Amino acid sequence: MLRSDSELLRLISNRDQEGLSELYQRYCNLVYSLAFHTLQNSDLAEEVTQDVFIKIWTRPHQWNPSGGRFSSWLLTVTRYTAIDRLRKDLHQSHNPTQLLDTIPDKNYLADEPVEDDLRTLMKQLPANQAQVLQLAFFQGMTHQEMASALGLPLGTVKTRVRLGLSKLKGYLAESFKLKLTE
Amino acid sequence: MKFVPQMNANSQDCDQVHALIPAYSIGATDPEETGLVEAHLKSCPEAAAELKEYHALTEKLLYSVPLVPAPARLHDQLMAKIQARESQQPAVSQNGQLKRSTFSLHLKRTVAAKVRQPAFVLTALALVLLLLSNLYWSNQFAHLQNNQQQTSLLMEAQDSILALIGSGKAQRVDLRQVQGEASEAMMLCSPKEDIGFVYGENFAALASGDTYQVWLVREDGNRVHAGILRLNEHGDGTLIFQLAEPFANFDRVEIIRESTASSPVLVMQGELPY
């Protein structure tokens, strides 16, 4: 019988490596995919993936079940770990515009993502809005940092982020309504 | 970091703050904007509801990337690292405390293997107890030595601060609130000196893993970390710190709430009068 995430974390807190192994097998592709999408480098993505699961091993009690799904918490940890790694790499390369080079080719497609609908909806966004959402969400840039990197006025960046997310939220709501009526 | 005049969240145009909620939900707001949104969220249920909707979207974004299979070898590499970590720490953890679970497992295996040899078992047990006792006392001694060193350093720093105050050279810098409620803080320093003292009171309690960090900021925005403001149960705390350069090189002092799970938030800020 498939063990729940909570059960696996309990095993991990008792230093049971089988628990970590099973958790890894369950989520490694999701974690690696997000890390790779942020870093666009397989070696760094592997490092981040390992770091994330080592964090789970050393601090299995950090996830609060009342805060939502374990997988979402795990991917949030992955996101921040990948962003930290990206910033560290950037700092060492002294190349502030390198972040722009890591925006994935929008034609790149491997297997289908879990959130197929959202990825499809993101393709409907204007390119400049999709770009800032990529930089903000997947690369951890703030308004000011994006304005500096892109050479744009701060107000323009803020507007693009707001409109992009607002449209995505709207598209998603419409998509959900359409599905209900099918 | 560019200085932005503090604005009271209560007097902010609600629409302007609401416009920041999408960006806040993905961590894209600058520190001052983050402070404004968080202050506004406490008093505006509509804003909280809107943020909840955006959080649902951002959660989906986590799953929206193309799926790329992790290399097969990564599993074995990870488990080897875990095994190596566990092997390197058989009985003692980083803070000198005995890891009871690891040691008791070892003890059980030793006893199980020799159960048919009572004399050996008794001798082995006696030896183990002696080793345990030695290990415990040597760890206690190391712990006390470490405490003594830290206490000496702290006393030296305190002496320096008292000397600064006594000399009349200490200047007081009052920090003002950027985000949060009712906390107060001040810093004592001198332009030509590198020792500083920060006192704060009524700071909000922190979530587990969060800290209040004190930073000195130069005119060009570069930052130097001064230390962590450690608080008691009343939200009061002090920090004595020493920089590698005099205070005259800095423009302002900041207290930032840093978290492992969200963007840092500027809580308090003070301008150095140099």
Side-chain angles (χ1 to χ4, degrees), chain B residues 35-189:
Chain B
L36 286 172
V37 172
E38 291 188 349
H40 187 77
L41 283 169
K42 290 177 185 174
S43 58
C44 183
E46 290 80 15
E50 190 177 350
L51 178 62
K52 197 172 172 184
E53 289 178 7
Y54 276 103
H55 273 154
L57 169 63
T58 57
E59 184 180 354
K60 287 182 181 297
L61 278 173
L62 292 168
Y63 298 87
S64 69
V65 302
L67 266 180
V68 181
R73 67 176 183 285
L74 206 53
H75 171 268
D76 291 345
Q77 285 176 359
L78 170 69
M79 299 314 294
K81 277 191 181 177
I82 297 294
Q83 185 62 41
R85 287 172 69 96
E86 295 301 296
S87 303
Q88 282 167 8
Q89 301 174 18
V92 180
S93 65
Q94 286 180 350
N95 63 4
Q97 296 292 322
L98 290 173
K99 278 189 177 177
R100 291 180 194 160
S101 60
T102 308
F103 181 76
S104 65
L105 181 63
H106 181 71
L107 182 59
K108 280 177 191 172
R109 285 177 181 164
T110 304
V111 172
K114 300 292 179 182
V115 70
R116 290 177 185 167
Q117 302 175 29
F120 183 91
V121 168
L122 288 172
T123 307
L125 278 175
L127 190 60
V128 160
L129 283 170
L130 183 62
L131 286 172
L132 224 185
S133 175
N134 282 343
L135 196 60
Y136 174 75
W137 287 113
S138 68
N139 281 333
Q140 290 292 95
F141 181 66
H143 190 60
L144 283 170
Q145 271 192 323
N146 190 39
N147 277 352
Q148 191 177 23
Q149 281 171 0
Q150 288 181 0
T151 304
S152 295
L153 286 171
L154 185 59
M155 287 179 69
E156 278 179 27
Q158 285 176 339
D159 285 345
S160 298
I161 283 290
L162 288 171
L164 186 68
I165 295 169
S167 70
K169 295 179 186 172
Q171 294 180 2
R172 175 176 169 146
V173 176
D174 286 310
L175 282 77
R176 56 179 169 72
Q177 200 82 49
V178 173
Q179 188 273 335
E181 304 169 357
S183 52
E184 294 178 16
M186 67 90 173
M187 182 173 74
L188 290 179
C189 59

Side-chain angles (χ1 to χ4, degrees), chain A residues 43-114:
Chain A
D43 290 339
L44 295 179
E46 287 181 31
E47 280 181 30
V48 164
T49 302
Q50 291 195 27
D51 287 347
V52 166
F53 283 97
I54 289 174
K55 282 183 190 179
I56 304 294
W57 176 256
T58 54
R59 283 173 282 184
H61 301 294
Q62 279 211 314
W63 172 57
N64 182 353
S66 64
R69 290 188 290 177
F70 170 75
S71 59
S72 299
W73 176 82
L74 179 66
L75 289 178
T76 302
V77 171
T78 304
R79 178 184 165 223
Y80 282 111
T81 306
I83 288 170
D84 285 346
R85 188 66 178 86
L86 186 65
R87 287 181 176 273
K88 181 180 168 186
D89 212 45
L90 206 71
H91 180 73
Q92 286 172 351
S93 72
H94 302 292
N95 182 1
T97 60
Q98 187 179 325
L99 271 175
L100 300 178
D101 299 332
T102 61
I103 297 175
D105 179 353
K106 61 181 179 180
N107 292 320
Y108 171 82
L109 277 175
D111 295 332
E112 290 303 307
V114 177

